[in-house]
Amino acid sequence: MPPTQLQAARNGVVTEAMRRVADRENRDPAFVREQVAEGQAVIPSNRNHDALDPMIIGREFATKVNANIGNSETTSDRETELEKLHAAIHYGADTVMDLGTGSALDEIREMHVEHSPVPIGTVPLYEAVTQAGSPDAITKELLLEIVEKQAEQGVDYMTIHAGILAEHLPLTDGRKTGIVSRGGSIVAKWMEANGEQNPLYQVFPEICEIFADHDVTVSLGDSLRPGCLADACDEAQYAELDTLGELTRVGWDHGVQVMVEGPGHVPMHKIAENVERQQEVCDGAPFYVLGPLVTDIAPGYDHITSAIGAAMAAQAGAAMLCYVTPKEHLGLPEAEDVRDGLAAYRIAAHAADVGTERPGARDWDDALSEARYAFDWREQFRLALDPDRARSFHDQTLPGDNYKEARFCSMCGAEFCSMRIDQDTREEGEMDRLEPATDLAESPAADVNLPPVGTHDSGVRSPLDDVDVSPVEPAEDD
């Protein structure tokens, strides 16, 4: 059996995927190998995902964004799910999780793997409930069967809710919102009904063996994440985190790449504490956070409440942000909700990379600012995170082509445009003229910090076909 990315890295080998990642991140391939070998970064890359363009998740690399899609028992079909996948990739998702719980799960999952150039994640526990009929009817044999099937289908990473233990359940009794993780609530119900320890915890070594066979990355689920500000950083959340640290080391012992999922709803002043604690307890394994939402008062706008927390978490060291859409807590997101959620999270991720001074990250900002000052409207649109949205908003009030040459927009008009006034003053007086100086073609930034967003081909051909994959020599150990 070929080695996993982790095993290869430990053996001093720079794999094809590591070379591709190094190219996308503008980093030395030897550094990529080192980070993977130490468990500080993961390259989710199932050997059966032929369309995959490898990417990396780790605090030393550009901040990544995941988009959740998936049907439910009441909403969505295969065509709609494929539309969501395309929307997610088009608007810049670095990975996509299929959280479907409805019908045709196998067909939809296989369709996603076939068409997606980004890693696909799943939660096998959901399918186990669907097949068993109820949470308490799940068996350990069924869990392993589903995990193996999804690994064979090409899923790149799976959320495994193995960290919630029977002894943690009483710790949730004083909460306002109890157990809000879908997977956590299912496991808790199973443990209460069967009087046994978490079945995923019991069979976790066997799951790791399956993952090692296919090079599936394990994403350790945060079953006891807080569902409101009042429950943040409580004893239940941190007790589970300690177990996740234990499971991280079990995964590494099996040669499996590991990342750890995190909260949730957390007030702003406790976000850095969460990230720092996870990094310490889990020995630096990549932290993958949902939000966190920094206030509970804004249903319909939780892509904003959570993007605030996401930017702060990424600046503190979180490696990947799981987006939240405006539909969070309210309904199943549709394609436009995916667009809005990804825009908010791409902004959060980029802002964090600028804030942590990632090489070249601010070059994109500088280039757009120069185009804005020069009234180069077409260049502004081209450089925008969402070019169609920027152009549409501009053209709502000034739609004619002649306004693409105008030195004003409809907000200030010609007479009160500060930049036009500044330019005229510089032309007429002694202040220096301002000239553009940013060349994005020379920027050292990672791909995700350069425009345009969402340029992946959503067909089945792998972008690795265009990469130099000549025989790889072992890298020298540091």
Side-chain angles (χ1 to χ4, degrees):
M1 184 65 65
T4 65
Q5 295 295 326
L6 176 57
Q7 291 166 337
R10 286 173 172 171
N11 291 333
V13 175
V14 177
T15 65
E16 297 172 5
M18 293 175 202
R19 287 191 176 186
R20 172 56 178 155
V21 163
D23 179 60
R24 296 181 68 181
E25 295 283 333
N26 235 324
R27 306 298 287 271
D28 190 316
F31 178 73
V32 172
R33 181 203 65 79
E34 176 186 317
Q35 287 287 296
V36 173
E38 294 177 357
Q40 309 301 288
V42 297
I43 303 176
S45 50
N46 189 315
R47 300 187 188 96
N48 298 319
H49 190 169
D50 295 332
L52 181 69
D53 186 0
M55 52 80 71
I56 193 165
I57 303 166
R59 68 182 179 279
E60 296 298 325
F61 301 93
T63 306
K64 303 306 188 299
V65 174
N66 170 69
N68 289 339
I69 61 174
N71 67 357
S72 72
E73 57 187 347
T74 61
T75 311
S76 193
D77 53 25
R78 276 174 283 191
E79 290 71 24
T80 303
E81 289 308 305
L82 186 58
E83 179 186 356
K84 290 181 193 175
L85 174 69
H86 286 314
I89 294 170
H90 179 73
Y91 291 110
D94 297 297
T95 76
V96 174
M97 288 203 78
D98 177 7
L99 305 185
T101 58
S103 60
L105 294 179
D106 281 327
E107 292 88 342
I108 291 173
R109 188 180 308 115
E110 291 169 353
M111 175 185 69
H112 288 336
V113 170
E114 178 184 0
H115 288 278
S116 178
V118 306
I120 294 294
T122 61
V123 184
L125 183 62
Y126 296 169
E127 185 177 356
V129 174
T130 301
Q131 288 197 24
S134 67
D136 49 325
I138 295 171
T139 65
K140 286 169 272 190
E141 292 74 22
L142 177 62
L143 288 169
L144 291 172
E145 175 186 319
I146 290 172
V147 165
E148 185 158 24
K149 177 187 69 174
Q150 293 192 8
E152 290 172 349
Q153 288 173 322
V155 171
D156 300 290
Y157 67 98
M158 298 185 205
T159 294
I160 303 297
H161 295 86
I164 177 174
L165 303 181
E167 53 266 36
H168 298 158
L169 301 186
L171 303 178
T172 67
D173 290 346
R175 284 183 158 188
K176 286 190 180 295
T177 54
I179 300 174
V180 299
S181 159
R182 188 191 294 175
S185 65
I186 291 168
V187 173
K189 182 173 177 58
W190 188 95
M191 290 191 289
E192 289 285 287
N194 291 277
E196 288 187 45
Q197 188 56 277
N198 181 346
L200 288 165
Y201 181 82
Q202 294 184 56
V203 300
F204 189 71
E206 290 93 324
I207 291 174
C208 288
E209 291 173 6
I210 295 170
F211 283 3
D213 286 344
H214 300 275
D215 202 356
V216 176
T217 298
V218 61
S219 185
L220 293 170
D222 53 337
S223 307
L224 295 177
R225 67 175 179 266
C228 63
L229 299 188
D231 295 342
C233 307
D234 68 357
E235 191 177 1
Q237 178 192 339
Y238 284 159
E240 182 190 27
L241 179 59
D242 289 341
T243 306
L244 298 183
E246 169 199 331
L247 295 173
T248 295
R249 291 178 280 276
V250 173
W252 287 343
D253 288 345
H254 284 79
V256 173
Q257 300 182 95
V258 180
M259 59 182 173
V260 179
E261 298 182 17
H265 295 238
V266 180
M268 294 171 70
H269 64 289
K270 294 186 177 181
I271 290 174
E273 170 191 324
N274 270 260
V275 178
E276 291 163 5
R277 185 161 182 153
Q278 181 274 339
Q279 290 289 277
E280 179 181 355
V281 171
C282 300
D283 297 333
F287 201 21
Y288 163 30
V289 296
L290 175 67
L293 286 73
V294 297
T295 180
D296 299 331
I297 64 167
Y301 298 94
D302 278 336
H303 61 312
I304 298 173
T305 66
S306 62
I308 294 168
M312 296 178 68
Q315 188 176 32
M320 186 161 75
L321 312 174
C322 183
Y323 88 156
V324 173
T325 77
K327 287 276 185 68
E328 187 76 9
H329 304 114
L330 301 173
L332 189 71
E334 298 176 350
E336 192 64 15
D337 303 308
V338 170
R339 176 184 188 175
D340 290 342
L342 274 167
Y345 272 70
R346 285 256 61 102
I347 293 167
H350 180 77
D353 287 344
V354 171
T356 54
E357 299 184 303
R358 295 277 181 231
R362 210 193 69 193
D363 290 346
W364 184 0
D365 302 75
D366 292 348
L368 197 147
S369 297
E370 291 162 5
R372 179 176 289 145
Y373 184 78
F375 295 103
D376 188 341
W377 295 103
R378 293 180 177 85
E379 183 69 354
Q380 285 187 62
F381 302 152
R382 187 186 74 82
L383 292 176
L385 180 78
D386 186 341
D388 292 339
R389 178 70 57 86
R391 184 182 299 105
S392 171
F393 281 6
H394 173 272
D395 291 355
Q396 283 176 11
T397 50
L398 297 174
D401 284 346
N402 57 308
Y403 289 114
K404 303 299 188 296
E405 312 299 329
R407 296 174 67 208
F408 63 89
C409 72
S410 63
M411 181 174 182
C412 295
E415 294 303 317
F416 287 91
C417 177
S418 59
M419 289 188 181
R420 184 196 63 76
I421 294 170
D422 182 77
Q423 287 180 9
D424 290 347
T425 302
R426 292 176 185 279
E427 289 284 347
E428 298 163 1
E430 296 184 359
M431 291 191 299
D432 291 341
R433 295 178 61 180
L434 306 181
E435 301 291 346
T438 305
D439 183 359
L440 291 182
E442 299 297 321
S443 174
D447 280 357
V448 298
N449 279 317
L450 293 171
V453 170
T455 56
H456 277 100
D457 181 3
S458 58
V460 299
R461 182 175 178 275
S462 172
L464 274 176
D465 293 341
D466 299 323
V467 177
D468 177 13
V469 291
S470 52
V472 177
E473 298 296 330
E476 292 184 5
D477 289 331
D478 297 319

